[in-house]
Amino acid sequence: MSKRYHESDIPEAAAALKRGELVAFPTETVYGLGADATNVTAVGKVYAAKGRPSDNPLIVTVADADMVGQYATITPLAAKLMQAFWPGPLTIILNILPGRLSMKVTGGLQTAAFRNPDNALTRKLIATAGVPIVGPSANTSGKPSPTTADHVLHDLDGKIAGVLDDGPTQVGVESAIIDLTVTPPAILRPGAIGPDELESLIGHVDTAAHHVGQNEAPKAPGMKYKHYAPAAQVVVVDDPAQFSAAVTWAKQTGQVFGLLATDAILAQYPTIPSYSLGKDVQSAAHALFAGLRWFDLHPDVTLVLAQAFSKTELSAAYMNRLLKSAGDMHFQG
């Protein structure tokens, strides 16, 4: 059994990290799976616990910007972004200093992704441990990311020392990732901090989708492999007006199906198993992973019709995760 740590237990959790054990931790986005980033054996345990491919790099989670300087070159652009958005849901890829981080952390690259989360308990945990911690999402690889300590324990109970419980996360989708080792800087994963906010500080950023080849090492998590997928097949419904046709189609498949949509849509289908995304894209982003996990608790449901959103920066983050959970499968109405 893994322990549920609280604030008073932070010294105990930090000691577990220093011994090379795994401790899950809260952020404002999702729960992460922590191990001492300077301990190669501990980092290897993260890949084993998650069932994660070894060429999928790990985010290095730090207590503050000063900690980054011990492991990577902080460029003027990086300093600007750190001052403006840290602590917060922005991950920054930088060139590492020679020999400071294991290639197990970086996925074999000379770059690493750094994150300073907006969660006081986690920053205190890292500061108490005195080392940065790797911080992939604390779930079985490929499954929906965890937004509560209960989600973490559902996937990893018995595989980790414990989880630092700080209640549900606030944002619900992982941090935006920006690569500052290329010109222009490139957004490798959309998040709650969008291109407009970034460009207001550092100028033009590349927002084009970056595809990773089969034999190429990704520079950031989630670029190469299917992510966030429940056991059921997710099908994206691009337009709310298509839901009636999508429901008719789903009935014709003979499968037990469910709906992942806003309250306005769900009100039309009260007898179909469903999980509410709330009223808008902000609530939807917060609820997405919890909704995908809810369907895993209902194994009779083998098909999920999920609502798409468009035209806002936060919807880019939501849609990025939703499309990965669906393997890019859309309803063809």
PDB file of all heavy atoms in Angstrom, residues 160-198:
ATOM      1  N   ILE A 160       4.560   2.870  -5.643  1.00  0.00           N
ATOM      2  CA  ILE A 160       5.239   4.093  -5.221  1.00  0.00           C
ATOM      3  C   ILE A 160       5.188   4.181  -3.696  1.00  0.00           C
ATOM      4  O   ILE A 160       4.364   3.524  -3.052  1.00  0.00           O
ATOM      5  CB  ILE A 160       4.592   5.349  -5.849  1.00  0.00           C
ATOM      6  CG1 ILE A 160       3.131   5.494  -5.418  1.00  0.00           C
ATOM      7  CG2 ILE A 160       4.681   5.280  -7.372  1.00  0.00           C
ATOM      8  CD1 ILE A 160       2.449   6.753  -5.936  1.00  0.00           C
ATOM      9  N   ALA A 161       6.078   5.025  -3.131  1.00  0.00           N
ATOM     10  CA  ALA A 161       6.067   5.198  -1.676  1.00  0.00           C
ATOM     11  C   ALA A 161       4.783   5.868  -1.213  1.00  0.00           C
ATOM     12  O   ALA A 161       4.222   5.524  -0.171  1.00  0.00           O
ATOM     13  CB  ALA A 161       7.284   6.016  -1.238  1.00  0.00           C
ATOM     14  N   GLY A 162       4.309   6.839  -2.005  1.00  0.00           N
ATOM     15  CA  GLY A 162       3.089   7.531  -1.613  1.00  0.00           C
ATOM     16  C   GLY A 162       2.779   8.684  -2.534  1.00  0.00           C
ATOM     17  O   GLY A 162       3.494   8.949  -3.511  1.00  0.00           O
ATOM     18  N   VAL A 163       1.695   9.396  -2.208  1.00  0.00           N
ATOM     19  CA  VAL A 163       1.263  10.558  -2.974  1.00  0.00           C
ATOM     20  C   VAL A 163       0.994  11.704  -2.015  1.00  0.00           C
ATOM     21  O   VAL A 163       0.348  11.525  -0.981  1.00  0.00           O
ATOM     22  CB  VAL A 163       0.008  10.245  -3.828  1.00  0.00           C
ATOM     23  CG1 VAL A 163      -1.123   9.680  -2.984  1.00  0.00           C
ATOM     24  CG2 VAL A 163      -0.462  11.483  -4.587  1.00  0.00           C
ATOM     25  N   LEU A 164       1.517  12.876  -2.334  1.00  0.00           N
ATOM     26  CA  LEU A 164       1.261  14.086  -1.556  1.00  0.00           C
ATOM     27  C   LEU A 164      -0.095  14.638  -1.991  1.00  0.00           C
ATOM     28  O   LEU A 164      -0.246  15.109  -3.117  1.00  0.00           O
ATOM     29  CB  LEU A 164       2.378  15.110  -1.794  1.00  0.00           C
ATOM     30  CG  LEU A 164       2.269  16.453  -1.065  1.00  0.00           C
ATOM     31  CD1 LEU A 164       2.196  16.263   0.442  1.00  0.00           C
ATOM     32  CD2 LEU A 164       3.454  17.349  -1.428  1.00  0.00           C
ATOM     33  N   ASP A 165      -1.081  14.546  -1.125  1.00  0.00           N
ATOM     34  CA  ASP A 165      -2.472  14.860  -1.471  1.00  0.00           C
ATOM     35  C   ASP A 165      -2.780  16.328  -1.185  1.00  0.00           C
ATOM     36  O   ASP A 165      -2.715  16.771  -0.048  1.00  0.00           O
ATOM     37  CB  ASP A 165      -3.409  13.955  -0.669  1.00  0.00           C
ATOM     38  CG  ASP A 165      -4.856  14.034  -1.143  1.00  0.00           C
ATOM     39  OD1 ASP A 165      -5.186  14.939  -1.943  1.00  0.00           O
ATOM     40  OD2 ASP A 165      -5.653  13.180  -0.715  1.00  0.00           O
ATOM     41  N   ASP A 166      -3.125  17.069  -2.234  1.00  0.00           N
ATOM     42  CA  ASP A 166      -3.534  18.466  -2.067  1.00  0.00           C
ATOM     43  C   ASP A 166      -4.878  18.708  -2.760  1.00  0.00           C
ATOM     44  O   ASP A 166      -5.148  19.792  -3.250  1.00  0.00           O
ATOM     45  CB  ASP A 166      -2.464  19.406  -2.638  1.00  0.00           C
ATOM     46  CG  ASP A 166      -2.666  20.855  -2.194  1.00  0.00           C
ATOM     47  OD1 ASP A 166      -3.199  21.063  -1.088  1.00  0.00           O
ATOM     48  OD2 ASP A 166      -2.314  21.772  -2.962  1.00  0.00           O
ATOM     49  N   GLY A 167      -5.702  17.655  -2.811  1.00  0.00           N
ATOM     50  CA  GLY A 167      -7.025  17.802  -3.405  1.00  0.00           C
ATOM     51  C   GLY A 167      -6.976  17.831  -4.920  1.00  0.00           C
ATOM     52  O   GLY A 167      -5.931  17.605  -5.533  1.00  0.00           O
ATOM     53  N   PRO A 168      -8.114  18.128  -5.564  1.00  0.00           N
ATOM     54  CA  PRO A 168      -8.175  18.161  -7.027  1.00  0.00           C
ATOM     55  C   PRO A 168      -7.311  19.289  -7.595  1.00  0.00           C
ATOM     56  O   PRO A 168      -7.133  20.338  -6.963  1.00  0.00           O
ATOM     57  CB  PRO A 168      -9.662  18.417  -7.321  1.00  0.00           C
ATOM     58  CG  PRO A 168     -10.378  18.082  -6.059  1.00  0.00           C
ATOM     59  CD  PRO A 168      -9.431  18.370  -4.946  1.00  0.00           C
ATOM     60  N   THR A 169      -6.751  19.070  -8.780  1.00  0.00           N
ATOM     61  CA  THR A 169      -5.981  20.117  -9.446  1.00  0.00           C
ATOM     62  C   THR A 169      -6.923  21.181 -10.003  1.00  0.00           C
ATOM     63  O   THR A 169      -8.129  20.974 -10.106  1.00  0.00           O
ATOM     64  CB  THR A 169      -5.147  19.524 -10.589  1.00  0.00           C
ATOM     65  OG1 THR A 169      -6.024  18.942 -11.555  1.00  0.00           O
ATOM     66  CG2 THR A 169      -4.200  18.455 -10.063  1.00  0.00           C
ATOM     67  N   GLN A 170      -6.366  22.330 -10.376  1.00  0.00           N
ATOM     68  CA  GLN A 170      -7.195  23.447 -10.817  1.00  0.00           C
ATOM     69  C   GLN A 170      -7.360  23.526 -12.337  1.00  0.00           C
ATOM     70  O   GLN A 170      -8.460  23.724 -12.843  1.00  0.00           O
ATOM     71  CB  GLN A 170      -6.603  24.784 -10.325  1.00  0.00           C
ATOM     72  CG  GLN A 170      -6.710  25.001  -8.823  1.00  0.00           C
ATOM     73  CD  GLN A 170      -5.630  24.261  -8.069  1.00  0.00           C
ATOM     74  OE1 GLN A 170      -4.458  24.347  -8.393  1.00  0.00           O
ATOM     75  NE2 GLN A 170      -6.021  23.517  -7.050  1.00  0.00           N
ATOM     76  N   VAL A 171      -6.263  23.381 -13.077  1.00  0.00           N
ATOM     77  CA  VAL A 171      -6.319  23.594 -14.527  1.00  0.00           C
ATOM     78  C   VAL A 171      -6.821  22.348 -15.244  1.00  0.00           C
ATOM     79  O   VAL A 171      -7.700  22.426 -16.100  1.00  0.00           O
ATOM     80  CB  VAL A 171      -4.927  24.001 -15.081  1.00  0.00           C
ATOM     81  CG1 VAL A 171      -4.972  24.148 -16.596  1.00  0.00           C
ATOM     82  CG2 VAL A 171      -4.488  25.309 -14.428  1.00  0.00           C
ATOM     83  N   GLY A 172      -6.276  21.192 -14.910  1.00  0.00           N
ATOM     84  CA  GLY A 172      -6.808  19.953 -15.447  1.00  0.00           C
ATOM     85  C   GLY A 172      -6.129  19.422 -16.697  1.00  0.00           C
ATOM     86  O   GLY A 172      -6.210  18.245 -16.977  1.00  0.00           O
ATOM     87  N   VAL A 173      -5.464  20.240 -17.495  1.00  0.00           N
ATOM     88  CA  VAL A 173      -4.639  19.734 -18.596  1.00  0.00           C
ATOM     89  C   VAL A 173      -3.207  20.197 -18.349  1.00  0.00           C
ATOM     90  O   VAL A 173      -2.974  21.241 -17.751  1.00  0.00           O
ATOM     91  CB  VAL A 173      -5.119  20.219 -19.986  1.00  0.00           C
ATOM     92  CG1 VAL A 173      -6.465  19.616 -20.332  1.00  0.00           C
ATOM     93  CG2 VAL A 173      -5.179  21.739 -20.064  1.00  0.00           C
ATOM     94  N   GLU A 174      -2.256  19.393 -18.815  1.00  0.00           N
ATOM     95  CA  GLU A 174      -0.861  19.640 -18.466  1.00  0.00           C
ATOM     96  C   GLU A 174      -0.355  20.981 -18.997  1.00  0.00           C
ATOM     97  O   GLU A 174      -0.987  21.629 -19.827  1.00  0.00           O
ATOM     98  CB  GLU A 174       0.033  18.521 -19.004  1.00  0.00           C
ATOM     99  CG  GLU A 174      -0.315  17.153 -18.490  1.00  0.00           C
ATOM    100  CD  GLU A 174      -1.186  16.413 -19.475  1.00  0.00           C
ATOM    101  OE1 GLU A 174      -1.919  17.079 -20.226  1.00  0.00           O
ATOM    102  OE2 GLU A 174      -1.129  15.190 -19.485  1.00  0.00           O
ATOM    103  N   SER A 175       0.817  21.337 -18.513  1.00  0.00           N
ATOM    104  CA  SER A 175       1.424  22.622 -18.860  1.00  0.00           C
ATOM    105  C   SER A 175       1.726  22.727 -20.350  1.00  0.00           C
ATOM    106  O   SER A 175       1.954  21.727 -21.031  1.00  0.00           O
ATOM    107  CB  SER A 175       2.739  22.795 -18.082  1.00  0.00           C
ATOM    108  OG  SER A 175       3.654  21.759 -18.425  1.00  0.00           O
ATOM    109  N   ALA A 176       1.712  23.960 -20.838  1.00  0.00           N
ATOM    110  CA  ALA A 176       2.242  24.227 -22.177  1.00  0.00           C
ATOM    111  C   ALA A 176       3.746  23.966 -22.155  1.00  0.00           C
ATOM    112  O   ALA A 176       4.411  24.190 -21.142  1.00  0.00           O
ATOM    113  CB  ALA A 176       1.969  25.675 -22.571  1.00  0.00           C
ATOM    114  N   ILE A 177       4.283  23.477 -23.285  1.00  0.00           N
ATOM    115  CA  ILE A 177       5.725  23.253 -23.392  1.00  0.00           C
ATOM    116  C   ILE A 177       6.264  24.098 -24.530  1.00  0.00           C
ATOM    117  O   ILE A 177       5.768  24.013 -25.662  1.00  0.00           O
ATOM    118  CB  ILE A 177       6.061  21.775 -23.661  1.00  0.00           C
ATOM    119  CG1 ILE A 177       5.573  20.896 -22.515  1.00  0.00           C
ATOM    120  CG2 ILE A 177       7.563  21.594 -23.848  1.00  0.00           C
ATOM    121  CD1 ILE A 177       5.830  19.410 -22.716  1.00  0.00           C
ATOM    122  N   ILE A 178       7.281  24.928 -24.232  1.00  0.00           N
ATOM    123  CA  ILE A 178       7.921  25.737 -25.258  1.00  0.00           C
ATOM    124  C   ILE A 178       9.391  25.364 -25.355  1.00  0.00           C
ATOM    125  O   ILE A 178      10.083  25.238 -24.339  1.00  0.00           O
ATOM    126  CB  ILE A 178       7.738  27.256 -24.992  1.00  0.00           C
ATOM    127  CG1 ILE A 178       8.289  28.065 -26.171  1.00  0.00           C
ATOM    128  CG2 ILE A 178       8.351  27.677 -23.663  1.00  0.00           C
ATOM    129  CD1 ILE A 178       7.875  29.523 -26.152  1.00  0.00           C
ATOM    130  N   ASP A 179       9.853  25.179 -26.573  1.00  0.00           N
ATOM    131  CA  ASP A 179      11.246  24.804 -26.833  1.00  0.00           C
ATOM    132  C   ASP A 179      12.034  26.069 -27.166  1.00  0.00           C
ATOM    133  O   ASP A 179      11.832  26.687 -28.210  1.00  0.00           O
ATOM    134  CB  ASP A 179      11.297  23.820 -28.005  1.00  0.00           C
ATOM    135  CG  ASP A 179      12.708  23.305 -28.282  1.00  0.00           C
ATOM    136  OD1 ASP A 179      13.647  23.704 -27.556  1.00  0.00           O
ATOM    137  OD2 ASP A 179      12.862  22.506 -29.237  1.00  0.00           O
ATOM    138  N   LEU A 180      12.949  26.444 -26.270  1.00  0.00           N
ATOM    139  CA  LEU A 180      13.776  27.628 -26.482  1.00  0.00           C
ATOM    140  C   LEU A 180      15.139  27.280 -27.071  1.00  0.00           C
ATOM    141  O   LEU A 180      16.003  28.153 -27.182  1.00  0.00           O
ATOM    142  CB  LEU A 180      13.964  28.391 -25.160  1.00  0.00           C
ATOM    143  CG  LEU A 180      12.706  29.008 -24.554  1.00  0.00           C
ATOM    144  CD1 LEU A 180      13.075  29.840 -23.328  1.00  0.00           C
ATOM    145  CD2 LEU A 180      11.938  29.859 -25.558  1.00  0.00           C
ATOM    146  N   THR A 181      15.332  26.038 -27.472  1.00  0.00           N
ATOM    147  CA  THR A 181      16.615  25.646 -28.082  1.00  0.00           C
ATOM    148  C   THR A 181      16.574  25.758 -29.602  1.00  0.00           C
ATOM    149  O   THR A 181      17.544  25.413 -30.271  1.00  0.00           O
ATOM    150  CB  THR A 181      17.009  24.212 -27.692  1.00  0.00           C
ATOM    151  OG1 THR A 181      16.111  23.272 -28.310  1.00  0.00           O
ATOM    152  CG2 THR A 181      16.985  24.034 -26.178  1.00  0.00           C
ATOM    153  N   VAL A 182      15.449  26.224 -30.142  1.00  0.00           N
ATOM    154  CA  VAL A 182      15.305  26.416 -31.588  1.00  0.00           C
ATOM    155  C   VAL A 182      14.895  27.854 -31.859  1.00  0.00           C
ATOM    156  O   VAL A 182      14.436  28.577 -30.966  1.00  0.00           O
ATOM    157  CB  VAL A 182      14.260  25.455 -32.181  1.00  0.00           C
ATOM    158  CG1 VAL A 182      14.715  24.016 -32.038  1.00  0.00           C
ATOM    159  CG2 VAL A 182      12.883  25.650 -31.529  1.00  0.00           C
ATOM    160  N   THR A 183      15.077  28.290 -33.122  1.00  0.00           N
ATOM    161  CA  THR A 183      14.675  29.629 -33.542  1.00  0.00           C
ATOM    162  C   THR A 183      13.728  29.528 -34.737  1.00  0.00           C
ATOM    163  O   THR A 183      14.080  28.911 -35.739  1.00  0.00           O
ATOM    164  CB  THR A 183      15.902  30.476 -33.939  1.00  0.00           C
ATOM    165  OG1 THR A 183      16.821  30.510 -32.821  1.00  0.00           O
ATOM    166  CG2 THR A 183      15.497  31.890 -34.290  1.00  0.00           C
ATOM    167  N   PRO A 184      12.515  30.105 -34.647  1.00  0.00           N
ATOM    168  CA  PRO A 184      11.926  30.733 -33.462  1.00  0.00           C
ATOM    169  C   PRO A 184      11.557  29.684 -32.412  1.00  0.00           C
ATOM    170  O   PRO A 184      11.468  28.493 -32.740  1.00  0.00           O
ATOM    171  CB  PRO A 184      10.673  31.415 -34.025  1.00  0.00           C
ATOM    172  CG  PRO A 184      10.268  30.540 -35.170  1.00  0.00           C
ATOM    173  CD  PRO A 184      11.563  30.083 -35.789  1.00  0.00           C
ATOM    174  N   PRO A 185      11.341  30.120 -31.177  1.00  0.00           N
ATOM    175  CA  PRO A 185      10.886  29.166 -30.159  1.00  0.00           C
ATOM    176  C   PRO A 185       9.624  28.453 -30.624  1.00  0.00           C
ATOM    177  O   PRO A 185       8.790  29.040 -31.323  1.00  0.00           O
ATOM    178  CB  PRO A 185      10.604  30.068 -28.946  1.00  0.00           C
ATOM    179  CG  PRO A 185      11.470  31.269 -29.158  1.00  0.00           C
ATOM    180  CD  PRO A 185      11.481  31.492 -30.639  1.00  0.00           C
ATOM    181  N   ALA A 186       9.486  27.189 -30.254  1.00  0.00           N
ATOM    182  CA  ALA A 186       8.377  26.384 -30.749  1.00  0.00           C
ATOM    183  C   ALA A 186       7.533  25.847 -29.601  1.00  0.00           C
ATOM    184  O   ALA A 186       8.060  25.364 -28.595  1.00  0.00           O
ATOM    185  CB  ALA A 186       8.905  25.222 -31.577  1.00  0.00           C
ATOM    186  N   ILE A 187       6.214  25.939 -29.753  1.00  0.00           N
ATOM    187  CA  ILE A 187       5.302  25.339 -28.793  1.00  0.00           C
ATOM    188  C   ILE A 187       5.134  23.865 -29.166  1.00  0.00           C
ATOM    189  O   ILE A 187       4.602  23.539 -30.228  1.00  0.00           O
ATOM    190  CB  ILE A 187       3.946  26.054 -28.780  1.00  0.00           C
ATOM    191  CG1 ILE A 187       4.117  27.497 -28.289  1.00  0.00           C
ATOM    192  CG2 ILE A 187       2.953  25.305 -27.878  1.00  0.00           C
ATOM    193  CD1 ILE A 187       2.841  28.313 -28.306  1.00  0.00           C
ATOM    194  N   LEU A 188       5.603  22.976 -28.304  1.00  0.00           N
ATOM    195  CA  LEU A 188       5.534  21.544 -28.576  1.00  0.00           C
ATOM    196  C   LEU A 188       4.291  20.907 -27.981  1.00  0.00           C
ATOM    197  O   LEU A 188       3.896  19.818 -28.398  1.00  0.00           O
ATOM    198  CB  LEU A 188       6.780  20.837 -28.044  1.00  0.00           C
ATOM    199  CG  LEU A 188       8.121  21.325 -28.600  1.00  0.00           C
ATOM    200  CD1 LEU A 188       9.235  20.408 -28.130  1.00  0.00           C
ATOM    201  CD2 LEU A 188       8.094  21.400 -30.122  1.00  0.00           C
ATOM    202  N   ARG A 189       3.701  21.569 -26.992  1.00  0.00           N
ATOM    203  CA  ARG A 189       2.445  21.083 -26.420  1.00  0.00           C
ATOM    204  C   ARG A 189       1.632  22.288 -25.957  1.00  0.00           C
ATOM    205  O   ARG A 189       2.121  23.097 -25.176  1.00  0.00           O
ATOM    206  CB  ARG A 189       2.714  20.146 -25.227  1.00  0.00           C
ATOM    207  CG  ARG A 189       1.452  19.527 -24.634  1.00  0.00           C
ATOM    208  CD  ARG A 189       1.778  18.513 -23.545  1.00  0.00           C
ATOM    209  NE  ARG A 189       2.217  19.134 -22.301  1.00  0.00           N
ATOM    210  CZ  ARG A 189       2.656  18.463 -21.232  1.00  0.00           C
ATOM    211  NH1 ARG A 189       2.748  17.152 -21.291  1.00  0.00           N
ATOM    212  NH2 ARG A 189       3.029  19.098 -20.138  1.00  0.00           N
ATOM    213  N   PRO A 190       0.397  22.462 -26.451  1.00  0.00           N
ATOM    214  CA  PRO A 190      -0.405  23.610 -26.010  1.00  0.00           C
ATOM    215  C   PRO A 190      -0.877  23.422 -24.578  1.00  0.00           C
ATOM    216  O   PRO A 190      -1.016  22.295 -24.084  1.00  0.00           O
ATOM    217  CB  PRO A 190      -1.586  23.616 -26.984  1.00  0.00           C
ATOM    218  CG  PRO A 190      -1.692  22.199 -27.451  1.00  0.00           C
ATOM    219  CD  PRO A 190      -0.295  21.653 -27.459  1.00  0.00           C
ATOM    220  N   GLY A 191      -1.112  24.531 -23.905  1.00  0.00           N
ATOM    221  CA  GLY A 191      -1.582  24.480 -22.523  1.00  0.00           C
ATOM    222  C   GLY A 191      -2.375  25.724 -22.193  1.00  0.00           C
ATOM    223  O   GLY A 191      -2.799  26.477 -23.080  1.00  0.00           O
ATOM    224  N   ALA A 192      -2.574  25.962 -20.885  1.00  0.00           N
ATOM    225  CA  ALA A 192      -3.380  27.096 -20.451  1.00  0.00           C
ATOM    226  C   ALA A 192      -2.726  28.438 -20.787  1.00  0.00           C
ATOM    227  O   ALA A 192      -3.400  29.455 -20.938  1.00  0.00           O
ATOM    228  CB  ALA A 192      -3.638  27.007 -18.947  1.00  0.00           C
ATOM    229  N   ILE A 193      -1.391  28.468 -20.889  1.00  0.00           N
ATOM    230  CA  ILE A 193      -0.685  29.667 -21.348  1.00  0.00           C
ATOM    231  C   ILE A 193      -0.517  29.543 -22.853  1.00  0.00           C
ATOM    232  O   ILE A 193       0.142  28.627 -23.342  1.00  0.00           O
ATOM    233  CB  ILE A 193       0.681  29.806 -20.654  1.00  0.00           C
ATOM    234  CG1 ILE A 193       0.480  30.013 -19.146  1.00  0.00           C
ATOM    235  CG2 ILE A 193       1.481  30.967 -21.241  1.00  0.00           C
ATOM    236  CD1 ILE A 193       1.770  29.988 -18.346  1.00  0.00           C
ATOM    237  N   GLY A 194      -1.146  30.450 -23.590  1.00  0.00           N
ATOM    238  CA  GLY A 194      -1.213  30.320 -25.037  1.00  0.00           C
ATOM    239  C   GLY A 194      -0.192  31.141 -25.789  1.00  0.00           C
ATOM    240  O   GLY A 194       0.574  31.918 -25.206  1.00  0.00           O
ATOM    241  N   PRO A 195      -0.184  31.002 -27.117  1.00  0.00           N
ATOM    242  CA  PRO A 195       0.789  31.708 -27.957  1.00  0.00           C
ATOM    243  C   PRO A 195       0.747  33.225 -27.800  1.00  0.00           C
ATOM    244  O   PRO A 195       1.798  33.874 -27.820  1.00  0.00           O
ATOM    245  CB  PRO A 195       0.404  31.296 -29.377  1.00  0.00           C
ATOM    246  CG  PRO A 195      -0.325  30.015 -29.214  1.00  0.00           C
ATOM    247  CD  PRO A 195      -1.038  30.096 -27.904  1.00  0.00           C
ATOM    248  N   ASP A 196      -0.445  33.798 -27.663  1.00  0.00           N
ATOM    249  CA  ASP A 196      -0.544  35.257 -27.554  1.00  0.00           C
ATOM    250  C   ASP A 196       0.214  35.773 -26.333  1.00  0.00           C
ATOM    251  O   ASP A 196       0.925  36.790 -26.407  1.00  0.00           O
ATOM    252  CB  ASP A 196      -2.015  35.701 -27.493  1.00  0.00           C
ATOM    253  CG  ASP A 196      -2.738  35.489 -28.810  1.00  0.00           C
ATOM    254  OD1 ASP A 196      -2.056  35.213 -29.825  1.00  0.00           O
ATOM    255  OD2 ASP A 196      -3.975  35.586 -28.820  1.00  0.00           O
ATOM    256  N   GLU A 197       0.036  35.093 -25.208  1.00  0.00           N
ATOM    257  CA  GLU A 197       0.726  35.516 -23.985  1.00  0.00           C
ATOM    258  C   GLU A 197       2.242  35.377 -24.131  1.00  0.00           C
ATOM    259  O   GLU A 197       3.007  36.245 -23.682  1.00  0.00           O
ATOM    260  CB  GLU A 197       0.245  34.679 -22.795  1.00  0.00           C
ATOM    261  CG  GLU A 197      -1.206  34.901 -22.414  1.00  0.00           C
ATOM    262  CD  GLU A 197      -1.652  33.930 -21.347  1.00  0.00           C
ATOM    263  OE1 GLU A 197      -2.039  32.799 -21.688  1.00  0.00           O
ATOM    264  OE2 GLU A 197      -1.605  34.295 -20.158  1.00  0.00           O
ATOM    265  N   LEU A 198       2.676  34.298 -24.757  1.00  0.00           N
ATOM    266  CA  LEU A 198       4.111  34.075 -24.934  1.00  0.00           C
ATOM    267  C   LEU A 198       4.702  35.096 -25.896  1.00  0.00           C
ATOM    268  O   LEU A 198       5.775  35.676 -25.641  1.00  0.00           O
ATOM    269  CB  LEU A 198       4.349  32.652 -25.441  1.00  0.00           C
ATOM    270  CG  LEU A 198       3.929  31.533 -24.478  1.00  0.00           C
ATOM    271  CD1 LEU A 198       3.961  30.186 -25.180  1.00  0.00           C
ATOM    272  CD2 LEU A 198       4.820  31.512 -23.246  1.00  0.00           C
TER     273      LEU A 198
END
